[in-house]
Amino acid sequence: MGVLAVCHVHSKWSYDGSWSLEALSAKFSGQGYRVLMMTEHDRGFTASRLDQYREACARASSSEILVLPGIEYSDAANRVHVLVWGPVPFLGESLPTSEMLDAVRAAGGLAVLAHPSRRDAWRSFDPCWADRLLGIEAWNRKYDGWAPSRTAPELLHMADMIRFVGLDFHTQRQSFPLAMMLDMDTNVIEENVLDCLRARRSSPRAFGVPLSENLVRKALPAMGIAEKARQVVASIARYSRAVTK
C-alpha cells in the first residue's frame, strides 16, 4: 500500500515557523497526505521541550494523518543541517555533524542531510557521514525552488542513500507537489513509518509521479528556466513591497 508523506515541515514550535501543528495537520490531511514529517529547528529546544513537543504532535495526529515529530540539527556554522526522526533524545544545539550523527545512530534514529545547496553545504560534506545518513534531500522547495538540487546528485552517488524531497515548509509560499511515497501495508503509526524508512521502502514523488534520474535529466532545463523566472518575479514583488512601505 502506498502511503503519502510530506517531509521537512516547521510549525510554531520552530523560532521561524508560522503555522500551528493543528493547522498543518488539517492542511496536509486535506491534501491526501497520511504522514506529516515534522522537523523543528534545534534552536531553543531542550530535553523537556522535546517531550512536550512529542505530546503535542500526538494530539495533532488523527485517524487521517500521523504527525511525526522530528528535529533539524545545525552545526556551529549554521551551514550543515540534518533532519532527524525516531527515538532520539534532544542532543543539543550547534553540535559537530559527525558527533550528532553518531548519537542519532546509537539511539536508533534516522538522519537525512537537508538542502545541500544552501550556503554551499555540499562543500562541507564528509564522505564518512554517508553510512550514518539514510538519505539526502534531492529537492528542497524553499532553497531549490521549482527545480531539483544541482549539488545533491554528486553526493548521492558517493553511497547508497535515499533521495528525499522536502518542502522546508515555514509559510504557504513553500507549498509544492513534493512528497515521499512509503510502501507499507501496516497501521500508520510512528514505529511502522520508521521501520518502512529503515527498510528503504520509500521513493520521492514530484507532481504526483516518481522522481527518477531520467525524469530529472530530461525535465531539468525546463524546470531551471521556470525557477529563474520565479526568482525574477519574487524579486520584483519584494522590491514593490519595499517601495510602497
Side-chain angles (χ1 to χ4, degrees):
M1 178 179 70
V3 172
L4 206 60
V6 58
C7 182
H8 198 159
V9 179
H10 296 269
S11 75
K12 288 182 177 179
W13 284 78
S14 287
Y15 67 89
D16 56 356
S18 60
W19 288 55
S20 68
L21 288 171
E22 291 75 16
L24 289 167
S25 175
K27 168 184 170 61
F28 287 108
S29 64
Q31 294 176 358
Y33 293 96
R34 293 284 283 112
V35 182
L36 176 55
M37 298 178 68
M38 301 300 301
T39 50
E40 310 294 1
H41 292 295
D42 57 3
R43 176 176 161 185
F45 260 80
T46 62
S48 60
R49 182 170 169 79
L50 179 58
D51 290 340
Q52 296 168 9
Y53 176 64
R54 290 185 182 279
E55 293 172 0
C57 286
R59 291 193 299 270
S61 298
S62 68
S63 58
E64 284 76 37
I65 191 166
L66 169 68
V67 181
L68 183 69
I71 296 291
E72 180 175 0
Y73 286 96
S74 309
D75 65 1
N78 191 26
R79 190 179 193 187
V80 177
H81 289 199
V82 178
L83 314 176
V84 172
W85 300 278
V88 183
F90 184 65
L91 303 175
E93 298 181 34
S94 305
L95 295 176
T97 302
S98 289
E99 177 183 328
M100 181 270 299
L101 289 174
D102 284 342
V104 171
R105 180 165 61 180
L110 305 178
V112 171
L113 181 69
H115 40 59
S117 297
R118 175 189 174 272
R119 299 184 64 179
D120 285 339
W122 65 276
R123 295 184 184 276
S124 298
F125 186 84
D126 188 332
C128 74
W129 298 345
D131 66 341
R132 287 167 285 173
L133 286 167
L134 174 67
I136 293 177
E137 274 190 331
W139 194 340
N140 176 287
R141 166 61 185 89
K142 183 178 180 183
Y143 289 103
D144 297 322
W146 290 359
S149 169
R150 292 182 178 273
T151 60
E154 182 178 349
L155 301 182
L156 285 161
H157 287 154
M158 290 184 181
D160 183 24
M161 292 178 283
I162 297 174
R163 284 181 300 160
F164 268 73
V165 292
L167 299 184
D168 208 345
F169 186 97
H170 291 77
T171 71
Q172 183 64 24
R173 289 193 301 272
Q174 283 87 49
S175 290
F176 203 67
L178 295 176
M180 296 298 295
M181 181 64 76
L182 309 181
D183 181 14
M184 54 185 296
D185 54 8
T186 54
N187 292 336
V188 182
I189 59 175
E190 180 172 359
E191 182 180 358
N192 292 341
V193 169
L194 295 175
D195 284 344
C196 178
L197 290 168
R198 289 188 185 100
R200 298 171 177 263
R201 297 196 308 271
S202 64
S203 58
R205 298 289 176 101
F207 303 99
V209 298
L211 184 65
S212 65
E213 287 191 22
N214 186 51
L215 174 64
V216 170
R217 186 168 54 251
K218 289 182 176 179
L220 189 57
M223 289 188 291
I225 292 172
E227 169 57 14
K228 288 180 180 179
R230 184 196 69 82
Q231 291 176 359
V232 170
V233 171
S235 178
I236 293 172
R238 287 193 297 270
Y239 176 77
S240 299
R241 288 195 296 269
V243 169
T244 55
K245 284 184 179 179

Coordinates of all heavy atoms in Angstrom, one line a residue, residues 18-109:
S18 N 5.3 29.5 11.3 CA 4.1 30.4 11.3 C 2.8 29.6 11.5 O 1.8 30.3 11.7 CB 4.1 31.3 10.1 OG 4.0 30.5 8.9
W19 N 2.8 28.3 11.4 CA 1.6 27.5 11.5 C 1.6 26.7 12.7 O 2.7 26.2 13.2 CB 1.5 26.6 10.3 CG 1.2 27.2 9.0 CD1 1.8 28.3 8.4 CD2 0.1 26.9 8.1 NE1 1.2 28.6 7.2 CE2 0.2 27.8 7.0 CE3 -0.9 26.0 8.1 CZ2 -0.7 27.7 5.9 CZ3 -1.8 25.9 7.0 CH2 -1.7 26.8 6.0
S20 N 0.4 26.5 13.3 CA 0.3 25.5 14.4 C 0.3 24.1 13.9 O 0.1 23.8 12.7 CB -1.0 25.8 15.2 OG -2.1 25.4 14.4
L21 N 0.6 23.2 14.8 CA 0.6 21.8 14.4 C -0.8 21.4 14.0 O -1.0 20.6 13.0 CB 1.0 20.9 15.6 CG 2.5 20.9 16.0 CD1 2.8 20.2 17.3 CD2 3.4 20.3 14.9
E22 N -1.8 21.9 14.7 CA -3.2 21.5 14.3 C -3.5 22.0 12.9 O -4.2 21.3 12.1 CB -4.1 22.1 15.3 CG -4.1 21.4 16.7 CD -2.8 21.8 17.5 OE1 -2.2 22.9 17.1 OE2 -2.5 21.1 18.5
A23 N -3.1 23.3 12.6 CA -3.4 23.8 11.3 C -2.7 23.0 10.2 O -3.2 22.8 9.1 CB -3.0 25.3 11.2
L24 N -1.4 22.6 10.4 CA -0.7 21.9 9.5 C -1.3 20.5 9.3 O -1.4 20.0 8.1 CB 0.8 21.7 9.9 CG 1.6 23.0 9.9 CD1 2.9 22.7 10.7 CD2 2.0 23.3 8.5
S25 N -1.7 19.9 10.4 CA -2.4 18.6 10.3 C -3.6 18.7 9.4 O -3.9 17.8 8.5 CB -2.8 18.1 11.7 OG -3.5 16.9 11.6
A26 N -4.4 19.7 9.6 CA -5.7 19.9 8.8 C -5.3 20.1 7.3 O -5.9 19.6 6.4 CB -6.5 21.0 9.4
K27 N -4.3 21.0 7.1 CA -3.9 21.4 5.7 C -3.5 20.2 4.9 O -4.0 19.9 3.8 CB -2.8 22.4 5.7 CG -2.2 22.7 4.4 CD -1.0 23.6 4.5 CE -0.2 23.7 3.3 NZ -0.9 24.2 2.1
F28 N -2.6 19.4 5.5 CA -2.0 18.3 4.7 C -2.8 17.1 4.6 O -2.8 16.3 3.6 CB -0.6 18.0 5.2 CG 0.4 19.1 4.8 CD1 1.0 19.9 5.8 CD2 0.9 19.2 3.5 CE1 1.9 20.9 5.5 CE2 1.8 20.2 3.2 CZ 2.3 21.1 4.2
S29 N -3.6 16.8 5.7 CA -4.5 15.7 5.6 C -5.6 16.0 4.5 O -6.0 15.1 3.8 CB -5.2 15.4 6.9 OG -6.0 16.5 7.4
G30 N -6.0 17.2 4.4 CA -6.9 17.6 3.4 C -6.4 17.5 2.0 O -7.2 17.4 1.0
Q31 N -5.1 17.4 1.8 CA -4.4 17.2 0.5 C -4.1 15.7 0.2 O -3.4 15.4 -0.8 CB -3.2 18.1 0.4 CG -3.5 19.6 0.4 CD -2.2 20.4 0.5 OE1 -1.1 19.9 0.5 NE2 -2.4 21.7 0.4
G32 N -4.5 14.8 1.1 CA -4.3 13.4 0.9 C -3.1 12.8 1.5 O -2.8 11.6 1.4
Y33 N -2.3 13.6 2.3 CA -1.1 13.1 3.0 C -1.6 12.3 4.2 O -2.5 12.6 4.9 CB -0.2 14.2 3.4 CG 0.5 14.9 2.2 CD1 -0.1 16.1 1.7 CD2 1.6 14.4 1.6 CE1 0.5 16.8 0.7 CE2 2.2 15.1 0.5 CZ 1.6 16.2 0.1 OH 2.2 16.9 -1.0
R34 N -0.8 11.2 4.4 CA -1.1 10.4 5.6 C 0.0 10.5 6.7 O -0.3 10.1 7.9 CB -1.2 8.9 5.2 CG -2.4 8.6 4.3 CD -3.7 8.5 5.1 NE -3.8 7.3 5.9 CZ -3.7 7.2 7.2 NH1 -3.5 8.2 8.0 NH2 -3.8 6.0 7.8
V35 N 1.1 11.1 6.3 CA 2.2 11.3 7.3 C 2.7 12.7 7.2 O 3.0 13.1 6.0 CB 3.3 10.2 7.2 CG1 4.4 10.5 8.2 CG2 2.8 8.8 7.3
L36 N 2.9 13.4 8.3 CA 3.4 14.7 8.3 C 4.7 14.7 9.0 O 4.8 14.5 10.3 CB 2.4 15.7 9.0 CG 2.8 17.2 9.2 CD1 3.2 17.8 7.9 CD2 1.7 17.9 9.8
M37 N 5.9 14.7 8.3 CA 7.2 14.5 8.9 C 7.7 15.9 9.3 O 8.3 16.6 8.5 CB 8.1 13.8 7.9 CG 7.6 12.4 7.5 SD 8.6 11.6 6.3 CE 10.1 11.3 7.2
M38 N 7.5 16.2 10.6 CA 7.9 17.5 11.1 C 9.5 17.5 11.4 O 10.1 16.5 11.6 CB 7.2 17.7 12.5 CG 5.7 17.7 12.4 SD 5.1 19.0 11.2 CE 5.7 20.5 12.0
T39 N 10.0 18.7 11.3 CA 11.5 18.9 11.5 C 11.7 20.3 12.1 O 12.1 21.2 11.4 CB 12.2 18.8 10.2 OG1 11.6 19.7 9.2 CG2 12.2 17.4 9.6
E40 N 11.5 20.4 13.5 CA 11.7 21.7 14.1 C 13.2 22.0 14.3 O 14.0 21.1 14.5 CB 11.0 21.7 15.5 CG 9.5 21.2 15.4 CD 8.6 22.1 14.7 OE1 9.0 23.2 14.1 OE2 7.4 21.8 14.6
H41 N 13.5 23.3 14.2 CA 14.9 23.7 14.4 C 15.3 23.3 15.9 O 14.6 23.4 16.8 CB 15.1 25.2 14.2 CG 14.9 25.6 12.8 ND1 15.7 25.2 11.8 CD2 13.9 26.3 12.2 CE1 15.3 25.7 10.6 NE2 14.3 26.4 10.8
D42 N 16.6 23.0 16.0 CA 17.1 22.7 17.3 C 17.2 23.9 18.2 O 17.2 23.8 19.4 CB 18.5 22.0 17.2 CG 19.6 22.8 16.5 OD1 19.3 23.9 16.0 OD2 20.7 22.3 16.3
R43 N 17.3 25.1 17.6 CA 17.5 26.3 18.4 C 16.3 26.5 19.3 O 15.2 26.5 18.9 CB 17.6 27.5 17.4 CG 17.6 28.9 18.0 CD 17.8 29.9 17.0 NE 17.5 31.2 17.4 CZ 17.5 32.3 16.6 NH1 17.8 32.2 15.4 NH2 17.1 33.5 17.1
G44 N 16.7 26.6 20.6 CA 15.6 26.9 21.6 C 15.0 25.6 22.2 O 14.2 25.7 23.2
F45 N 15.4 24.4 21.7 CA 14.8 23.2 22.2 C 15.7 22.7 23.5 O 16.8 23.1 23.6 CB 14.8 22.1 21.2 CG 13.4 21.9 20.6 CD1 13.0 22.8 19.6 CD2 12.6 20.9 21.0 CE1 11.7 22.6 19.0 CE2 11.3 20.7 20.5 CZ 10.9 21.6 19.5
T46 N 15.0 22.0 24.3 CA 15.7 21.3 25.4 C 15.1 19.9 25.5 O 14.1 19.6 24.8 CB 15.4 22.1 26.8 OG1 13.9 22.1 27.0 CG2 15.9 23.5 26.7
A47 N 15.6 19.1 26.4 CA 15.0 17.8 26.6 C 13.6 17.8 27.0 O 12.7 17.1 26.5 CB 15.9 17.0 27.6
S48 N 13.2 18.7 27.9 CA 11.8 18.8 28.4 C 10.9 19.3 27.3 O 9.8 18.9 27.1 CB 11.7 19.6 29.6 OG 12.2 20.9 29.4
R49 N 11.4 20.3 26.5 CA 10.6 20.8 25.4 C 10.4 19.8 24.4 O 9.3 19.8 23.8 CB 11.4 22.1 24.8 CG 10.6 22.8 23.7 CD 11.2 24.1 23.3 NE 10.7 24.7 22.1 CZ 9.5 25.3 22.1 NH1 8.8 25.5 23.2 NH2 9.1 25.8 20.9
L50 N 11.3 18.9 24.1 CA 11.1 17.9 23.1 C 10.0 16.9 23.6 O 9.2 16.5 22.8 CB 12.4 17.1 22.9 CG 12.3 15.9 21.9 CD1 11.8 16.4 20.5 CD2 13.7 15.2 21.7
D51 N 10.0 16.6 24.9 CA 8.9 15.7 25.4 C 7.6 16.4 25.2 O 6.6 15.7 24.8 CB 9.2 15.5 26.9 CG 10.4 14.6 27.2 OD1 10.8 13.8 26.3 OD2 10.9 14.6 28.3
Q52 N 7.5 17.7 25.5 CA 6.3 18.4 25.3 C 5.9 18.4 23.8 O 4.7 18.3 23.5 CB 6.4 19.9 25.8 CG 6.7 20.0 27.3 CD 7.1 21.4 27.7 OE1 7.1 22.3 27.0 NE2 7.5 21.5 29.0
Y53 N 6.9 18.6 23.0 CA 6.6 18.6 21.6 C 6.1 17.3 21.1 O 5.1 17.2 20.3 CB 7.9 19.0 20.8 CG 7.8 19.0 19.3 CD1 7.0 19.8 18.7 CD2 8.6 18.0 18.6 CE1 6.9 19.8 17.3 CE2 8.5 18.0 17.2 CZ 7.6 18.9 16.6 OH 7.6 18.9 15.2
R54 N 6.6 16.2 21.5 CA 6.2 14.9 21.1 C 4.7 14.7 21.5 O 3.9 14.2 20.8 CB 7.0 13.8 21.8 CG 8.4 13.7 21.2 CD 9.2 12.5 21.8 NE 10.5 12.4 21.3 CZ 10.9 11.8 20.2 NH1 9.9 11.4 19.3 NH2 12.1 11.8 19.8
E55 N 4.3 15.2 22.7 CA 3.0 15.1 23.2 C 2.0 15.9 22.3 O 0.9 15.5 21.9 CB 2.9 15.5 24.6 CG 3.6 14.6 25.6 CD 3.6 15.1 27.0 OE1 3.1 16.3 27.2 OE2 4.2 14.4 27.9
A56 N 2.5 17.1 21.9 CA 1.7 18.0 21.0 C 1.5 17.4 19.6 O 0.4 17.5 19.1 CB 2.4 19.4 20.9
C57 N 2.5 16.7 19.1 CA 2.4 16.0 17.8 C 1.4 14.9 17.9 O 0.6 14.7 17.0 CB 3.7 15.4 17.4 SG 4.9 16.7 16.8
A58 N 1.4 14.2 19.0 CA 0.4 13.1 19.2 C -1.0 13.7 19.3 O -1.9 13.1 18.7 CB 0.7 12.3 20.5
R59 N -1.2 14.8 19.9 CA -2.5 15.4 20.0 C -3.0 15.9 18.6 O -4.2 15.9 18.3 CB -2.5 16.6 21.0 CG -2.4 16.2 22.5 CD -2.7 17.3 23.4 NE -1.8 18.5 23.2 CZ -0.7 18.6 23.8 NH1 -0.3 17.7 24.7 NH2 0.1 19.7 23.6
A60 N -2.0 16.4 17.8 CA -2.4 16.9 16.5 C -2.6 15.8 15.5 O -3.1 16.1 14.4 CB -1.3 17.9 16.0
S61 N -2.2 14.6 15.8 CA -2.4 13.5 14.9 C -3.9 13.0 14.9 O -4.6 13.3 15.9 CB -1.6 12.3 15.3 OG -0.2 12.6 15.2
S62 N -4.3 12.3 13.9 CA -5.7 11.9 13.8 C -5.8 10.5 13.1 O -4.7 10.0 12.7 CB -6.6 12.9 13.1 OG -6.3 13.0 11.8
S63 N -6.9 10.0 12.9 CA -7.1 8.8 12.1 C -6.7 9.0 10.6 O -6.4 8.1 9.9 CB -8.5 8.2 12.2 OG -9.4 9.2 11.7
E64 N -6.7 10.3 10.2 CA -6.4 10.6 8.8 C -4.9 10.9 8.6 O -4.4 10.7 7.5 CB -7.2 11.9 8.4 CG -8.6 11.6 8.1 CD -9.4 11.5 9.3 OE1 -9.1 12.2 10.3 OE2 -10.4 10.7 9.4
I65 N -4.2 11.4 9.6 CA -2.8 11.8 9.4 C -2.0 11.6 10.7 O -2.5 11.9 11.8 CB -2.7 13.2 8.9 CG1 -1.2 13.5 8.5 CG2 -3.1 14.2 10.0 CD1 -1.1 14.8 7.7
L66 N -0.8 11.1 10.6 CA 0.2 11.0 11.7 C 1.1 12.1 11.6 O 1.8 12.4 10.6 CB 1.0 9.7 11.5 CG 2.2 9.5 12.5 CD1 1.7 9.3 13.9 CD2 3.1 8.3 12.0
V67 N 1.2 12.9 12.7 CA 2.2 14.0 12.8 C 3.4 13.4 13.5 O 3.4 13.1 14.7 CB 1.6 15.1 13.7 CG1 2.6 16.3 13.7 CG2 0.3 15.6 13.0
L68 N 4.5 13.2 12.7 CA 5.7 12.5 13.1 C 6.7 13.6 13.6 O 7.2 14.4 12.9 CB 6.3 11.7 12.0 CG 7.6 10.9 12.3 CD1 7.2 9.7 13.2 CD2 8.2 10.4 11.0
P69 N 7.1 13.6 14.9 CA 8.0 14.6 15.5 C 9.4 14.4 14.9 O 9.9 13.2 14.8 CB 7.9 14.4 17.0 CG 7.5 12.9 17.1 CD 6.6 12.6 16.0
G70 N 10.1 15.5 14.7 CA 11.5 15.4 14.2 C 12.2 16.7 14.5 O 11.5 17.8 14.8
I71 N 13.5 16.7 14.5 CA 14.3 17.9 14.8 C 15.3 18.1 13.6 O 15.9 17.1 13.1 CB 15.1 17.7 16.1 CG1 14.2 17.6 17.3 CG2 16.1 18.9 16.3 CD1 13.4 18.9 17.6
E72 N 15.5 19.3 13.2 CA 16.5 19.7 12.3 C 17.7 20.3 13.0 O 17.7 21.3 13.6 CB 16.0 20.8 11.3 CG 17.0 21.2 10.2 CD 16.4 22.1 9.2 OE1 15.2 22.5 9.3 OE2 17.2 22.5 8.3
Y73 N 18.8 19.5 13.0 CA 20.0 19.9 13.7 C 21.0 20.7 12.8 O 21.1 20.4 11.6 CB 20.8 18.7 14.3 CG 20.1 18.0 15.5 CD1 19.2 17.0 15.3 CD2 20.3 18.5 16.7 CE1 18.6 16.4 16.4 CE2 19.6 18.0 17.8 CZ 18.8 16.9 17.7 OH 18.2 16.4 18.8
S74 N 21.6 21.7 13.4 CA 22.5 22.6 12.6 C 23.9 22.5 13.3 O 24.0 22.4 14.5 CB 22.0 24.0 12.6 OG 20.7 24.1 12.2
D75 N 24.9 22.6 12.5 CA 26.3 22.7 13.1 C 26.5 24.1 13.6 O 25.7 25.0 13.4 CB 27.3 22.3 12.0 CG 27.4 23.2 10.8 OD1 26.7 24.2 10.7 OD2 28.2 22.9 9.9
A76 N 27.7 24.3 14.2 CA 28.0 25.6 14.8 C 28.0 26.8 13.8 O 27.7 27.9 14.1 CB 29.3 25.6 15.5
A77 N 28.4 26.5 12.5 CA 28.4 27.5 11.5 C 27.1 27.7 10.8 O 27.0 28.6 10.0 CB 29.5 27.1 10.4
N78 N 26.1 27.0 11.3 CA 24.7 27.1 10.7 C 24.8 26.8 9.2 O 24.1 27.5 8.4 CB 24.1 28.4 11.0 CG 22.6 28.4 10.6 OD1 21.9 27.4 10.6 ND2 22.1 29.6 10.3
R79 N 25.6 25.9 8.8 CA 25.8 25.6 7.4 C 25.2 24.2 7.0 O 24.5 24.0 6.1 CB 27.3 25.6 7.0 CG 27.6 25.6 5.5 CD 29.0 25.7 5.2 NE 29.3 25.9 3.8 CZ 30.5 25.9 3.3 NH1 31.6 25.6 4.1 NH2 30.7 26.1 2.0
V80 N 25.6 23.2 7.8 CA 25.2 21.8 7.6 C 24.0 21.5 8.5 O 24.0 21.7 9.7 CB 26.3 20.8 7.9 CG1 25.7 19.4 7.7 CG2 27.5 21.0 7.0
H81 N 22.8 21.2 7.8 CA 21.6 20.9 8.6 C 21.2 19.4 8.3 O 21.4 18.9 7.2 CB 20.5 21.7 8.1 CG 20.6 23.2 8.5 ND1 19.5 24.0 8.6 CD2 21.7 23.9 9.0 CE1 19.9 25.2 9.0 NE2 21.2 25.2 9.2
V82 N 20.8 18.7 9.3 CA 20.4 17.3 9.2 C 19.0 17.1 9.9 O 18.8 17.6 11.0 CB 21.4 16.4 9.9 CG1 21.0 14.9 9.8 CG2 22.8 16.6 9.3
L83 N 18.1 16.5 9.1 CA 16.8 16.1 9.6 C 16.8 14.8 10.4 O 17.4 13.8 9.9 CB 15.8 16.0 8.4 CG 15.9 17.1 7.4 CD1 15.0 16.8 6.2 CD2 15.6 18.5 8.0
V84 N 16.3 14.8 11.6 CA 16.4 13.6 12.4 C 15.0 13.2 12.9 O 14.2 14.0 13.4 CB 17.3 13.8 13.6 CG1 17.2 12.6 14.6 CG2 18.7 14.0 13.1
W85 N 14.6 11.9 12.8 CA 13.4 11.3 13.3 C 13.7 10.1 14.2 O 14.8 9.5 14.0 CB 12.4 11.0 12.2 CG 12.0 12.1 11.4 CD1 11.0 13.0 11.6 CD2 12.6 12.4 10.1 NE1 11.0 13.9 10.6 CE2 11.9 13.6 9.6 CE3 13.6 11.9 9.3 CZ2 12.2 14.2 8.4 CZ3 13.9 12.5 8.1 CH2 13.2 13.6 7.6
G86 N 12.8 9.7 15.0 CA 13.0 8.5 15.7 C 13.2 8.7 17.2 O 13.1 9.8 17.7
P87 N 13.5 7.6 18.0 CA 13.6 7.7 19.4 C 14.9 8.3 19.9 O 15.7 7.7 20.6 CB 13.5 6.2 19.8 CG 14.1 5.5 18.7 CD 13.7 6.2 17.4
V88 N 15.1 9.5 19.5 CA 16.4 10.2 19.8 C 16.2 11.3 20.8 O 15.3 12.1 20.6 CB 17.0 10.8 18.5 CG1 18.4 11.5 18.8 CG2 17.1 9.8 17.4
P89 N 16.9 11.2 22.0 CA 16.7 12.3 22.9 C 17.3 13.6 22.3 O 18.0 13.6 21.3 CB 17.6 11.9 24.1 CG 18.6 11.0 23.5 CD 17.9 10.3 22.4
F90 N 16.9 14.8 22.9 CA 17.4 16.0 22.4 C 18.9 16.0 22.6 O 19.4 15.8 23.7 CB 16.8 17.2 23.1 CG 17.3 18.5 22.5 CD1 17.0 18.8 21.2 CD2 18.1 19.4 23.2 CE1 17.4 20.0 20.6 CE2 18.5 20.6 22.7 CZ 18.2 20.9 21.4
L91 N 19.7 16.3 21.5 CA 21.1 16.2 21.5 C 21.8 17.5 21.8 O 23.0 17.5 22.1 CB 21.6 15.6 20.2 CG 21.0 14.3 19.8 CD1 21.4 13.9 18.4 CD2 21.4 13.2 20.8
G92 N 21.2 18.6 21.7 CA 21.8 19.9 22.0 C 21.9 20.7 20.7 O 21.6 20.2 19.6
E93 N 22.3 21.9 20.8 CA 22.4 22.8 19.7 C 23.8 22.9 19.2 O 24.8 22.7 19.9 CB 22.0 24.3 20.1 CG 20.5 24.4 20.5 CD 20.1 25.8 20.8 OE1 20.7 26.7 20.2 OE2 19.3 26.0 21.8
S94 N 24.0 23.2 17.9 CA 25.3 23.5 17.3 C 26.3 22.4 17.5 O 27.5 22.7 17.7 CB 25.8 24.8 17.8 OG 24.9 25.9 17.6
L95 N 25.9 21.2 17.4 CA 26.8 20.1 17.5 C 27.6 19.8 16.2 O 27.1 20.0 15.1 CB 26.0 18.8 17.9 CG 25.3 18.7 19.2 CD1 24.5 17.5 19.3 CD2 26.3 18.9 20.4
P96 N 28.9 19.3 16.4 CA 29.6 18.9 15.2 C 28.8 17.8 14.5 O 28.2 16.9 15.2 CB 30.9 18.3 15.7 CG 31.1 19.0 17.1 CD 29.7 19.2 17.6
T97 N 28.7 17.8 13.2 CA 27.8 16.9 12.4 C 28.2 15.4 12.7 O 27.3 14.6 12.9 CB 27.9 17.2 10.9 OG1 27.5 18.6 10.7 CG2 26.9 16.3 10.2
S98 N 29.4 15.1 12.7 CA 29.8 13.7 12.9 C 29.4 13.2 14.3 O 28.9 12.1 14.5 CB 31.4 13.5 12.8 OG 31.8 13.6 11.4
E99 N 29.6 14.0 15.3 CA 29.2 13.7 16.7 C 27.7 13.5 16.7 O 27.2 12.6 17.4 CB 29.6 14.8 17.6 CG 29.2 14.6 19.1 CD 29.6 15.8 20.0 OE1 30.6 16.4 19.7 OE2 28.8 16.1 20.9
M100 N 26.9 14.4 16.1 CA 25.5 14.3 16.1 C 25.0 13.0 15.4 O 24.1 12.3 15.9 CB 24.9 15.6 15.4 CG 23.4 15.6 15.4 SD 22.7 14.8 13.9 CE 23.4 15.9 12.7
L101 N 25.6 12.7 14.3 CA 25.2 11.5 13.5 C 25.5 10.2 14.3 O 24.7 9.3 14.3 CB 25.9 11.5 12.2 CG 25.4 12.5 11.1 CD1 26.3 12.5 9.9 CD2 24.0 12.3 10.7
D102 N 26.6 10.2 15.0 CA 26.9 9.1 15.9 C 25.8 8.9 16.9 O 25.4 7.8 17.2 CB 28.3 9.3 16.5 CG 29.5 9.0 15.6 OD1 29.2 8.4 14.5 OD2 30.6 9.5 15.9
A103 N 25.4 10.0 17.5 CA 24.4 9.9 18.6 C 23.1 9.5 18.0 O 22.3 8.7 18.7 CB 24.3 11.3 19.3
V104 N 22.7 9.9 16.8 CA 21.5 9.5 16.2 C 21.5 8.0 15.9 O 20.5 7.3 16.2 CB 21.2 10.3 14.9 CG1 20.0 9.7 14.1 CG2 21.0 11.8 15.2
R105 N 22.6 7.5 15.4 CA 22.6 6.1 15.1 C 22.6 5.3 16.4 O 21.9 4.2 16.4 CB 23.9 5.8 14.3 CG 24.1 4.3 14.0 CD 25.1 4.0 12.9 NE 26.4 4.5 13.3 CZ 27.5 4.3 12.6 NH1 27.4 3.8 11.4 NH2 28.7 4.7 13.0
A106 N 23.3 5.7 17.4 CA 23.3 5.0 18.7 C 21.9 4.9 19.3 O 21.6 3.9 20.0 CB 24.3 5.6 19.7
A107 N 21.1 5.9 19.1 CA 19.7 6.0 19.6 C 18.7 5.3 18.7 O 17.5 5.1 19.1 CB 19.3 7.4 19.9
G108 N 19.1 4.8 17.6 CA 18.2 4.1 16.7 C 17.4 5.1 15.8 O 16.3 4.7 15.4
G109 N 17.9 6.3 15.6 CA 17.1 7.3 14.8 C 17.5 7.3 13.4 O 18.4 6.5 12.9

